[in-house]
Amino acid sequence: MSQPPATPPAAAAPDDSDDLATLAKGGRTNTLGFVIRLVARIPFLVIATRLYGAEALGRFASALVLIEIVALICSLGEKRGLAQRLSEGAGENRAAETNLVYDGILLALIYSGLAAALLLAFPEPMFPNGTNSAWDIWLVATIPAFAVTEILLAAQAYRYDIGTTVRTRAVVEPWTISIGAGVFFFIPATRDAGLALAFISSIFAGLLTALWPFLRTYGLPRNWQPQARAMAAMSARAFPIVGADAIERGTRLLDIFILGLFAPPQAVGIYYAAQQIASLPQKLKTSFEPILSPVITKNLRIGNMEAIAAQVRQVGFWIIAVQLGIALVLGVPGEAVMGLWGPDYVAGTAALAFLLAAEVAASMAVVSESVLVYIARKRNLAISVGVIALQAGLTIALIELADAYGLGKGYEAAGAAGALLIALAVSSLIKALLLKHLLKAPVSNWRWALVYAAAPAVVVGYAFTWLPEWMELVIGIPAVLATYAAVIWRRGFDENDKVLFRKNVVPVHDTPSA
């Protein structure tokens, strides 16, 4: 089992304030991207739910499960692994950096091409509830595009370019799928295929958006001679990170897959709509990974474990503080939020509440894993395997229980969401304890100020549920957000925390207790 490297006696401690400022700058950029992504996601949900309906949306969601997991595996964990490969293998040699990135791209294309061909030959696992049209099979074309885009964005993040990730993931992809879904619906020849064609268009638009700045930054390879043995070694080394990435994403997709097997497509569609709302906080959480990885690998290289623990605590608190606010804003008026997509989707209100709570519970696991994938890969992977097995068992049991009592589609969706909440809470606890042991420093992101801020926000939000739904949404949501933000800013944020929301400010280095 891998152990954290020992601290070299002569190693000078890095400027932790500079690291925190770098994380804060990346966090600000990605928080802006999250807001843009939120605005862009709403039109797609309105179009998909109102025009296409829950049944078509359920079939589309079931097909995406395998596509996303396979594409993530084919990217070989480069979202986090590339920073370490470049840090260790290239030094200051820019040409060597470029060639290492192209090694990853080539390997990803080989694996994704084989995977796409296999799914073309045996498409049945993608469509447990059938297809919407003959075009759905061509979703496999997005596997190579998605895998390569992940590597391009990771390469840009290594150079601290987070803007490309924001443009790709928060602007181009969501707006392309929203516009595409609307346009294709009103063309008779593509109406049934609209969701699939819109998704394909969005992935390739994202690829082109990431490719242009990548070519400007890295250019084309020079004296590049890929070696089969080196490629094989790279694949073997990537396995633990690939497994952790696939399982982390799989926990968000396994529930849809199981629902597709045990429940009608309408239930899958309702759950998918709730998940798309609840996944917005998850996007915020993972958006810190591109900027966190280079900072962590730099400190690992010099053995500064205390700095890594401080960064985990800091970023972890930023994430949970913002995620809890989002969960309250979307969860307290949950019935009104789900009602936006149509009366059939109100049955997913409980699922939405569980999913939002699950994302808050998962924040510590994701931040801990950003370090564990480097210093305890096999143990992290073993924990992830155990967690997804726990989730699978709980999901099947709760769905079957709801079905046995005839509770309906909403309860089946809520059962899947509840299983996810329990599994992610267990994952956060175990991974945080392991990381604390390895770093020999506290890593918890929990502060009691989160409770102090949430309590009055819940009271305010509950009061608005007695008013008409339009007032609950238009006035109640801003009131909940303002209440939570005012308390967490005054009671929860110290000077280091506030760096996330300020520009050109050097934080006071005062490691918070945990």
Side-chain angles (χ1 to χ4, degrees):
M1 294 182 182
S2 54
Q3 298 288 343
T7 305
D15 190 335
D16 296 337
S17 293
D18 286 348
D19 285 345
L20 192 59
T22 299
L23 291 171
K25 181 180 179 182
R28 280 194 301 272
T29 304
N30 282 307
T31 301
L32 174 62
F34 163 77
V35 174
I36 297 171
R37 193 169 191 156
L38 171 62
V39 173
R41 178 65 64 179
I42 291 173
F44 172 71
L45 283 175
V46 171
I47 292 168
T49 55
R50 293 283 185 173
L51 297 184
Y52 290 90
E55 188 171 340
L57 186 58
R59 293 195 185 101
F60 171 71
S62 295
L64 288 192
V65 171
L66 207 55
I67 293 292
E68 289 195 30
I69 289 294
V70 171
L72 193 62
I73 292 172
C74 292
S75 68
L76 299 174
E78 292 287 76
K79 185 174 183 177
R80 292 184 285 195
L82 182 63
Q84 187 176 34
R85 287 205 303 121
L86 295 179
S87 175
E88 295 174 353
E92 299 299 322
N93 189 330
R94 291 298 177 91
E97 280 186 0
T98 300
N99 290 347
L100 283 173
V101 176
Y102 277 95
D103 283 344
I105 292 174
L106 176 60
L107 205 54
L109 285 173
I110 292 172
Y111 283 125
S112 58
L114 292 173
L118 187 64
L119 285 175
L120 273 175
F122 306 99
E124 291 80 9
M126 290 172 54
F127 308 111
N129 287 312
T131 62
N132 291 322
S133 76
W135 285 96
D136 288 13
I137 187 61
W138 293 108
L139 287 167
V140 300
T142 63
I143 295 175
F146 182 94
V148 171
T149 302
E150 286 286 281
I151 297 174
L152 299 179
L153 295 178
Q156 290 300 107
Y158 184 74
R159 298 280 181 89
Y160 299 108
D161 172 17
I162 305 302
T164 298
T165 299
V166 172
R167 285 191 297 274
T168 302
R169 299 297 193 207
V171 180
V172 173
E173 287 184 357
W175 278 110
T176 300
I177 194 172
S178 296
I179 295 170
V183 170
F184 289 127
F185 180 82
F186 290 104
I187 299 175
T190 60
R191 173 168 296 181
D192 292 338
L195 292 174
L197 292 176
F199 180 78
I200 294 169
S201 301
S202 71
I203 295 300
F204 278 93
L207 171 62
L208 295 176
T209 305
L211 182 62
W212 175 245
F214 169 80
L215 291 175
R216 292 177 60 188
T217 303
Y218 289 87
L220 297 174
R222 293 177 289 278
N223 301 318
W224 180 44
Q225 296 179 332
Q227 302 292 325
R229 182 174 297 178
M231 293 285 192
M234 177 181 163
S235 298
R237 184 181 182 187
F239 175 75
I241 297 182
V242 170
D245 283 350
I247 291 172
E248 195 276 332
R249 183 62 185 140
T251 57
R252 307 310 199 281
L253 299 173
L254 179 67
D255 39 15
I256 290 181
F257 180 74
I258 294 175
L259 270 174
L261 296 176
F262 290 90
Q266 293 92 335
V268 182
I270 291 170
Y271 187 85
Y272 181 76
Q275 190 190 61
Q276 288 301 293
I277 299 169
S279 68
L280 292 168
Q282 194 256 343
K283 299 292 192 303
L284 173 68
K285 178 172 57 209
T286 56
S287 68
F288 274 89
E289 288 175 357
I291 197 65
L292 189 58
S293 293
V295 173
I296 287 173
T297 54
K298 182 190 76 171
N299 283 307
L300 280 174
R301 194 166 62 246
I302 62 174
N304 192 345
M305 298 301 162
E306 178 55 42
I308 293 173
Q311 290 152 10
V312 168
R313 290 193 299 268
Q314 185 65 75
V315 173
F317 178 69
W318 281 338
I319 290 173
I320 196 173
V322 177
Q323 280 189 316
L324 181 57
I326 297 168
L328 292 170
V329 163
L330 297 176
V332 177
E335 188 172 339
V337 170
M338 291 300 292
L340 288 172
W341 322 128
D344 291 343
Y345 294 88
V346 175
T349 301
L352 175 63
F354 282 132
L355 288 169
L356 289 167
E359 294 302 338
V360 176
S363 61
M364 191 66 240
V366 172
V367 182
S368 298
E369 189 172 272
S370 66
V371 182
L372 291 174
V373 292
Y374 300 119
I375 66 176
R377 296 184 180 198
K378 294 179 180 178
R379 278 176 282 183
N380 179 68
L381 179 58
I383 294 168
S384 297
V385 170
V387 166
I388 202 167
L390 171 65
Q391 182 197 358
L394 287 172
T395 302
I396 294 172
L398 293 175
I399 291 174
E400 289 289 286
L401 187 65
D403 182 61
Y405 283 93
L407 298 178
K409 300 186 291 293
Y411 281 90
E412 291 176 356
L420 177 65
L421 169 59
I422 295 170
L424 291 180
V426 170
S427 177
S428 283
L429 178 61
I430 296 175
K431 291 187 178 184
L433 290 174
L434 175 60
L435 185 61
K436 177 183 178 181
H437 170 71
L438 294 175
L439 297 182
K440 296 178 171 56
V443 296
S444 174
N445 63 348
W446 176 257
R447 300 184 196 175
W448 282 105
L450 295 168
V451 176
Y452 305 149
V458 170
V459 172
V460 170
Y462 179 73
F464 275 93
T465 62
W466 294 91
L467 300 177
E469 281 193 357
W470 71 268
M471 294 185 68
E472 187 179 355
L473 294 171
V474 175
I475 305 175
I477 285 180
V480 171
L481 180 60
T483 303
Y484 175 81
V487 178
I488 197 68
W489 184 263
R490 292 177 62 86
R491 298 290 301 271
F493 277 56
D494 59 23
E495 288 305 309
N496 279 345
D497 299 322
K498 293 176 181 179
V499 171
L500 179 64
F501 303 96
R502 294 172 178 167
K503 291 185 177 182
N504 303 321
V505 176
V506 177
V508 178
H509 183 62
D510 180 19
T511 304
S513 59

